[in-house]
Amino acid sequence: MVKVPRGPTRDVIVKAAISLFNTKGYDGTSIRDIAAEAKVNAANIAYYFRNKQGLLEYCLTSFYEIYIEELEKGYSLLDKGAEFCLKNIVERLLRYQCEHPQLTRLILREMSIDSQMVREIMSTYLVKERYYFRKVLEKGIEANEFRRHSVPYSILQIKGLLSMPFLNTQYVSEVLYVFPHEKYFADKYTSEIHRWINAVLCKEHNGNREHLMLL
Amino acid sequence: MVKVPRGPTRDVIVKAAISLFNTKGYDGTSIRDIAAEAKVNAANIAYYFRNKQGLLEYCLTSFYEIYIEELEKGYSLLDKGAEFCLKNIVERLLRYQCEHPQLTRLILREMSIDSQMVREIMSTYLVKERYYFRKVLEKGIEANEFRRHSVPYSILQIKGLLSMPFLNTQYVSEVLYVFPHEKYFADKYTSEIHRWINAVLCKEHNGNREHLMLL
DNA sequence: AGAGGAGAATTTGTCGTTATTTTTATAGAG
DNA sequence: CTCTATAAAAATAACGACAAATTCTCCTCT
């Protein structure tokens, strides 16, 4: 965990860094770029975050701290039923990701690189994430709410459904064209994933067969 | 399209480049890295591919040429029904991607960066890809095979399902643990997506409600 | 006055690229 | 078959640009 001095300059730097990492990639962004974008001196970044890697670590951890908190809030509802719990988790995570689309995209991308650095930073969070998902799905099968299915595969699918909209702007732009108000996107997309949960995971379910048309 | 001299050295370079781009990212890989990995001199890369970007272009286009060909082969079966056609497309694309996991991952990652370069190289192929998917889905709705649904959203989902396994090795490793023989992964995963097509897209369908359990 | 935050300059290293040279392969003439 | 002219392929060396990190200097508060 990175310990970082506080101050208004710090937040300006973080904001600029996230934006640039997002559009140009971590390796493609220089400290000078960030300094220019944030309108601060390059040496300040070293002061606040020790070095470039420290800045990235701070961005990632500060995001995932909250992300896992949201996940845990949803998970705490497991006693109200696996389906309800899973849908709540999906809603929370999606809303949070929609509030931080740049970071979400950045993480998805940098995670796919074999740099030990990002892997190490994230691995703790990812283990937790998978753990909670697995518990919910297993509980659902146990409680006869969900059909028997391959849990790791379903986790992979859920994670994919949650990640997709942030990964490829080309495809998302088409969806956003259909859902023009971005602020409603989280809600709309949440309900789409809920329909997926109904159709693929749940056993026979009232309303399961309703039309998928949203337009 | 890039015109590139032939020769055994060229293929060695391409192989090394794909491997390194995949693990370290395009910006994170230097021409010297590639040269070292391929055990050739750095200047040869410039000789063969003009410059670093030329090398990337060659990697991407040579992949996507075949990718689109496979897509078109599947699309040509549209008169045999939208469901059949879509499943065939999925099977082809997934098999092809499984044969080139590194390139698939590389493309997914670099596409998500706002570099005009990659975007420009890929845009033609992506337009074609979306066009074919859209046609198949619209045909399916028209022919009353598929339920009415949001086509752009479904394309996003299909594309996501196809991309997921290559994006995040952490999650995939769990799936591969379940399906230990990698060569069968394409088949297994294809059948999972087929089940998705049945559950989410198709109207009432015999065998639709069978268990999803694969183990 | 002194501590700590911010800017400037310097150092060191690496990047992509190019210009040039050396080696290898190919083909034609004697 | 040999020798040489010619082109292709590969290796070498070096340039200019810019990156990150470090150090030094200046400024501003209490």
Side-chain angles (χ1 to χ4, degrees), chain A residues 9 41 43-44 47-48:
Chain A
T9 311
N41 189 280
N44 281 341
Y47 169 75
Y48 279 108

Side-chain angles (χ1 to χ4, degrees), chain A:
Chain A
M1 189 51 187
V2 219
K3 256 296 173 232
V4 165
R6 319 189 91 269
T9 311
R10 190 196 59 168
D11 299 327
V12 176
I13 293 172
V14 169
K15 198 177 167 193
I18 291 173
S19 170
L20 287 175
F21 286 160
N22 175 52
T23 51
K24 301 169 65 174
Y26 176 75
D27 286 314
T29 305
S30 73
I31 287 194
R32 286 171 158 77
D33 292 338
I34 300 170
E37 174 82 13
K39 293 191 178 65
V40 302
N41 189 280
N44 281 341
I45 297 175
Y47 169 75
Y48 279 108
F49 304 97
R50 213 171 58 83
N51 54 28
K52 194 182 168 187
Q53 176 177 341
L55 175 53
L56 179 64
E57 279 184 37
Y58 179 81
C59 294
L60 299 188
T61 50
S62 61
F63 172 87
Y64 251 81
E65 296 271 306
I66 312 291
Y67 181 89
I68 294 293
E69 276 179 28
E70 289 292 320
L71 180 52
E72 282 169 345
K73 281 182 198 164
Y75 179 74
S76 69
L77 304 173
L78 184 52
D79 53 355
K80 297 195 175 185
E83 181 190 338
F84 180 80
C85 174
L86 181 60
K87 286 182 176 175
N88 190 276
I89 289 175
V90 164
E91 191 176 347
R92 285 176 181 280
L93 296 188
L94 198 56
R95 193 185 330 111
Y96 183 64
Q97 288 187 146
C98 281
E99 283 166 12
H100 306 85
Q102 291 183 318
L103 262 174
T104 303
R105 197 155 80 121
L106 167 64
I107 288 170
L108 283 172
R109 177 172 352 102
E110 300 299 331
M111 277 283 305
S112 78
I113 296 182
D114 264 344
S115 83
Q116 313 85 342
M117 183 203 350
V118 181
R119 283 286 167 80
E120 282 168 14
I121 300 173
M122 311 292 298
S123 62
T124 318
Y125 301 114
L126 289 183
V127 168
K128 284 188 182 179
E129 187 183 26
R130 268 182 305 189
Y131 171 81
Y132 289 124
F133 275 127
R134 186 157 47 77
K135 281 290 176 191
V136 175
L137 292 178
E138 284 172 355
K139 169 76 187 302
I141 294 175
E142 210 176 287
N144 217 27
E145 277 190 88
F146 294 158
R147 285 179 270 179
R148 294 184 70 223
H149 63 271
S150 164
V151 171
Y153 172 81
S154 293
I155 295 176
L156 185 66
Q157 267 203 341
I158 292 172
K159 186 67 184 165
L161 288 168
L162 284 171
S163 309
M164 252 184 292
F166 306 96
L167 193 66
N168 189 323
T169 39
Q170 306 253 354
Y171 283 90
V172 170
S173 63
E174 287 217 8
V175 175
L176 286 180
Y177 176 73
V178 180
F179 308 124
H181 310 294
E182 290 197 29
K183 54 178 176 175
Y184 294 131
F185 177 71
D187 292 337
K188 293 292 185 188
Y189 197 79
T190 297
S191 72
E192 287 285 349
I193 299 185
H194 285 181
R195 286 167 205 275
W196 174 86
I197 292 173
N198 290 340
V200 175
L201 287 187
C202 292
K203 298 210 165 195
E204 277 306 342
H205 188 283
N206 44 351
N208 198 4
R209 278 288 163 201
E210 72 198 11
H211 60 291
L212 288 177
M213 196 68 183
L214 279 178
L215 300 180

